[in-house]
PDB file of all heavy atoms in Angstrom:
ATOM      1  N   SER A 187      27.837 -55.808 -41.111  1.00 55.00           N
ATOM      2  CA  SER A 187      28.807 -56.250 -40.111  1.00 55.00           C
ATOM      3  C   SER A 187      28.839 -55.320 -38.892  1.00 55.00           C
ATOM      4  O   SER A 187      29.432 -55.655 -37.875  1.00 55.00           O
ATOM      5  CB  SER A 187      30.194 -56.319 -40.739  1.00 55.00           C
ATOM      6  OG  SER A 187      30.572 -55.033 -41.197  1.00 55.00           O
ATOM      7  N   ASP A 188      28.240 -54.152 -38.996  1.00 61.00           N
ATOM      8  CA  ASP A 188      28.245 -53.195 -37.889  1.00 61.00           C
ATOM      9  C   ASP A 188      27.383 -53.690 -36.740  1.00 61.00           C
ATOM     10  O   ASP A 188      26.427 -54.437 -36.931  1.00 61.00           O
ATOM     11  CB  ASP A 188      27.711 -51.828 -38.341  1.00 61.00           C
ATOM     12  CG  ASP A 188      28.649 -51.116 -39.293  1.00 61.00           C
ATOM     13  OD1 ASP A 188      29.805 -51.556 -39.445  1.00 61.00           O
ATOM     14  OD2 ASP A 188      28.218 -50.110 -39.892  1.00 61.00           O
ATOM     15  N   GLU A 189      27.746 -53.226 -35.545  1.00 68.00           N
ATOM     16  CA  GLU A 189      26.908 -53.490 -34.383  1.00 68.00           C
ATOM     17  C   GLU A 189      25.669 -52.617 -34.471  1.00 68.00           C
ATOM     18  O   GLU A 189      25.680 -51.557 -35.108  1.00 68.00           O
ATOM     19  CB  GLU A 189      27.675 -53.178 -33.097  1.00 68.00           C
ATOM     20  CG  GLU A 189      28.806 -54.137 -32.805  1.00 68.00           C
ATOM     21  CD  GLU A 189      28.312 -55.538 -32.521  1.00 68.00           C
ATOM     22  OE1 GLU A 189      27.313 -55.696 -31.803  1.00 68.00           O
ATOM     23  OE2 GLU A 189      28.912 -56.488 -33.047  1.00 68.00           O
ATOM     24  N   LEU A 190      24.615 -53.050 -33.817  1.00 67.00           N
ATOM     25  CA  LEU A 190      23.405 -52.248 -33.744  1.00 67.00           C
ATOM     26  C   LEU A 190      23.734 -50.956 -33.003  1.00 67.00           C
ATOM     27  O   LEU A 190      24.419 -50.992 -31.988  1.00 67.00           O
ATOM     28  CB  LEU A 190      22.330 -53.033 -32.983  1.00 67.00           C
ATOM     29  CG  LEU A 190      20.890 -52.756 -33.334  1.00 67.00           C
ATOM     30  CD1 LEU A 190      20.621 -53.024 -34.802  1.00 67.00           C
ATOM     31  CD2 LEU A 190      19.975 -53.608 -32.493  1.00 67.00           C
ATOM     32  N   PRO A 191      23.291 -49.804 -33.511  1.00 61.00           N
ATOM     33  CA  PRO A 191      23.629 -48.560 -32.834  1.00 61.00           C
ATOM     34  C   PRO A 191      23.006 -48.498 -31.436  1.00 61.00           C
ATOM     35  O   PRO A 191      21.917 -49.016 -31.210  1.00 61.00           O
ATOM     36  CB  PRO A 191      23.029 -47.476 -33.744  1.00 61.00           C
ATOM     37  CG  PRO A 191      22.019 -48.164 -34.577  1.00 61.00           C
ATOM     38  CD  PRO A 191      22.447 -49.594 -34.677  1.00 61.00           C
ATOM     39  N   THR A 192      23.733 -47.885 -30.521  1.00 71.00           N
ATOM     40  CA  THR A 192      23.188 -47.643 -29.187  1.00 71.00           C
ATOM     41  C   THR A 192      22.700 -46.205 -29.182  1.00 71.00           C
ATOM     42  O   THR A 192      23.496 -45.277 -29.325  1.00 71.00           O
ATOM     43  CB  THR A 192      24.249 -47.862 -28.104  1.00 71.00           C
ATOM     44  OG1 THR A 192      25.382 -47.063 -28.416  1.00 71.00           O
ATOM     45  CG2 THR A 192      24.642 -49.328 -28.027  1.00 71.00           C
ATOM     46  N   VAL A 193      21.408 -46.032 -29.057  1.00 75.00           N
ATOM     47  CA  VAL A 193      20.807 -44.716 -29.201  1.00 75.00           C
ATOM     48  C   VAL A 193      19.807 -44.485 -28.075  1.00 75.00           C
ATOM     49  O   VAL A 193      19.060 -45.380 -27.701  1.00 75.00           O
ATOM     50  CB  VAL A 193      20.065 -44.602 -30.560  1.00 75.00           C
ATOM     51  CG1 VAL A 193      19.455 -43.230 -30.734  1.00 75.00           C
ATOM     52  CG2 VAL A 193      21.000 -44.917 -31.709  1.00 75.00           C
ATOM     53  N   THR A 194      19.808 -43.277 -27.563  1.00 84.00           N
ATOM     54  CA  THR A 194      18.756 -42.847 -26.655  1.00 84.00           C
ATOM     55  C   THR A 194      17.748 -42.092 -27.502  1.00 84.00           C
ATOM     56  O   THR A 194      18.096 -41.091 -28.131  1.00 84.00           O
ATOM     57  CB  THR A 194      19.322 -41.932 -25.548  1.00 84.00           C
ATOM     58  OG1 THR A 194      20.330 -42.650 -24.851  1.00 84.00           O
ATOM     59  CG2 THR A 194      18.228 -41.505 -24.593  1.00 84.00           C
ATOM     60  N   VAL A 195      16.520 -42.592 -27.544  1.00 89.00           N
ATOM     61  CA  VAL A 195      15.506 -42.017 -28.425  1.00 89.00           C
ATOM     62  C   VAL A 195      14.428 -41.308 -27.609  1.00 89.00           C
ATOM     63  O   VAL A 195      13.971 -41.826 -26.599  1.00 89.00           O
ATOM     64  CB  VAL A 195      14.846 -43.127 -29.281  1.00 89.00           C
ATOM     65  CG1 VAL A 195      13.689 -42.587 -30.083  1.00 89.00           C
ATOM     66  CG2 VAL A 195      15.862 -43.761 -30.183  1.00 89.00           C
ATOM     67  N   THR A 196      14.051 -40.137 -28.063  1.00 92.00           N
ATOM     68  CA  THR A 196      12.881 -39.450 -27.512  1.00 92.00           C
ATOM     69  C   THR A 196      11.969 -39.105 -28.671  1.00 92.00           C
ATOM     70  O   THR A 196      12.421 -38.828 -29.786  1.00 92.00           O
ATOM     71  CB  THR A 196      13.260 -38.168 -26.738  1.00 92.00           C
ATOM     72  OG1 THR A 196      13.979 -37.301 -27.614  1.00 92.00           O
ATOM     73  CG2 THR A 196      14.095 -38.486 -25.509  1.00 92.00           C
ATOM     74  N   LEU A 197      10.675 -39.162 -28.399  1.00 95.00           N
ATOM     75  CA  LEU A 197       9.671 -38.889 -29.429  1.00 95.00           C
ATOM     76  C   LEU A 197       8.606 -37.991 -28.823  1.00 95.00           C
ATOM     77  O   LEU A 197       8.112 -38.255 -27.727  1.00 95.00           O
ATOM     78  CB  LEU A 197       9.044 -40.213 -29.902  1.00 95.00           C
ATOM     79  CG  LEU A 197       8.044 -40.146 -31.046  1.00 95.00           C
ATOM     80  CD1 LEU A 197       8.738 -39.715 -32.351  1.00 95.00           C
ATOM     81  CD2 LEU A 197       7.361 -41.497 -31.236  1.00 95.00           C
ATOM     82  N   THR A 198       8.278 -36.922 -29.530  1.00 95.00           N
ATOM     83  CA  THR A 198       7.209 -36.031 -29.066  1.00 95.00           C
ATOM     84  C   THR A 198       6.099 -36.001 -30.109  1.00 95.00           C
ATOM     85  O   THR A 198       6.355 -36.079 -31.312  1.00 95.00           O
ATOM     86  CB  THR A 198       7.719 -34.599 -28.810  1.00 95.00           C
ATOM     87  OG1 THR A 198       8.351 -34.107 -29.983  1.00 95.00           O
ATOM     88  CG2 THR A 198       8.706 -34.569 -27.645  1.00 95.00           C
ATOM     89  N   ASP A 199       4.853 -35.880 -29.626  1.00 95.00           N
ATOM     90  CA  ASP A 199       3.693 -35.860 -30.512  1.00 95.00           C
ATOM     91  C   ASP A 199       3.517 -34.466 -31.139  1.00 95.00           C
ATOM     92  O   ASP A 199       4.287 -33.545 -30.838  1.00 95.00           O
ATOM     93  CB  ASP A 199       2.441 -36.344 -29.776  1.00 95.00           C
ATOM     94  CG  ASP A 199       1.985 -35.407 -28.677  1.00 95.00           C
ATOM     95  OD1 ASP A 199       2.406 -34.231 -28.641  1.00 95.00           O
ATOM     96  OD2 ASP A 199       1.176 -35.855 -27.832  1.00 95.00           O
ATOM     97  N   PRO A 200       2.530 -34.285 -32.002  1.00 96.00           N
ATOM     98  CA  PRO A 200       2.339 -32.988 -32.664  1.00 96.00           C
ATOM     99  C   PRO A 200       2.085 -31.832 -31.684  1.00 96.00           C
ATOM    100  O   PRO A 200       2.292 -30.675 -32.029  1.00 96.00           O
ATOM    101  CB  PRO A 200       1.121 -33.220 -33.560  1.00 96.00           C
ATOM    102  CG  PRO A 200       1.123 -34.673 -33.833  1.00 96.00           C
ATOM    103  CD  PRO A 200       1.635 -35.305 -32.576  1.00 96.00           C
ATOM    104  N   LEU A 201       1.653 -32.146 -30.459  1.00 94.00           N
ATOM    105  CA  LEU A 201       1.405 -31.111 -29.455  1.00 94.00           C
ATOM    106  C   LEU A 201       2.650 -30.842 -28.602  1.00 94.00           C
ATOM    107  O   LEU A 201       2.612 -30.047 -27.676  1.00 94.00           O
ATOM    108  CB  LEU A 201       0.239 -31.520 -28.558  1.00 94.00           C
ATOM    109  CG  LEU A 201      -1.082 -31.812 -29.293  1.00 94.00           C
ATOM    110  CD1 LEU A 201      -2.130 -32.342 -28.323  1.00 94.00           C
ATOM    111  CD2 LEU A 201      -1.571 -30.575 -30.026  1.00 94.00           C
ATOM    112  N   GLY A 202       3.761 -31.544 -28.895  1.00 94.00           N
ATOM    113  CA  GLY A 202       4.998 -31.359 -28.162  1.00 94.00           C
ATOM    114  C   GLY A 202       5.105 -32.197 -26.900  1.00 94.00           C
ATOM    115  O   GLY A 202       6.062 -32.058 -26.139  1.00 94.00           O
ATOM    116  N   GLN A 203       4.146 -33.090 -26.667  1.00 95.00           N
ATOM    117  CA  GLN A 203       4.151 -33.941 -25.479  1.00 95.00           C
ATOM    118  C   GLN A 203       4.978 -35.201 -25.732  1.00 95.00           C
ATOM    119  O   GLN A 203       4.930 -35.764 -26.828  1.00 95.00           O
ATOM    120  CB  GLN A 203       2.718 -34.345 -25.094  1.00 95.00           C
ATOM    121  CG  GLN A 203       1.816 -33.171 -24.763  1.00 95.00           C
ATOM    122  CD  GLN A 203       2.351 -32.373 -23.592  1.00 95.00           C
ATOM    123  OE1 GLN A 203       2.714 -32.928 -22.563  1.00 95.00           O
ATOM    124  NE2 GLN A 203       2.434 -31.063 -23.771  1.00 95.00           N
ATOM    125  N   PRO A 204       5.727 -35.670 -24.725  1.00 95.00           N
ATOM    126  CA  PRO A 204       6.507 -36.900 -24.910  1.00 95.00           C
ATOM    127  C   PRO A 204       5.596 -38.107 -25.130  1.00 95.00           C
ATOM    128  O   PRO A 204       4.530 -38.208 -24.535  1.00 95.00           O
ATOM    129  CB  PRO A 204       7.278 -37.052 -23.603  1.00 95.00           C
ATOM    130  CG  PRO A 204       6.932 -35.902 -22.743  1.00 95.00           C
ATOM    131  CD  PRO A 204       5.890 -35.078 -23.412  1.00 95.00           C
TER     132      PRO A 204
END
Side-chain angles (χ1 to χ4, degrees):
S187 61
D188 291 348
E189 291 295 318
L190 209 59
T192 54
V193 181
T194 302
V195 173
T196 57
L197 184 67
T198 55
D199 67 17
L201 303 174
Q203 299 300 312

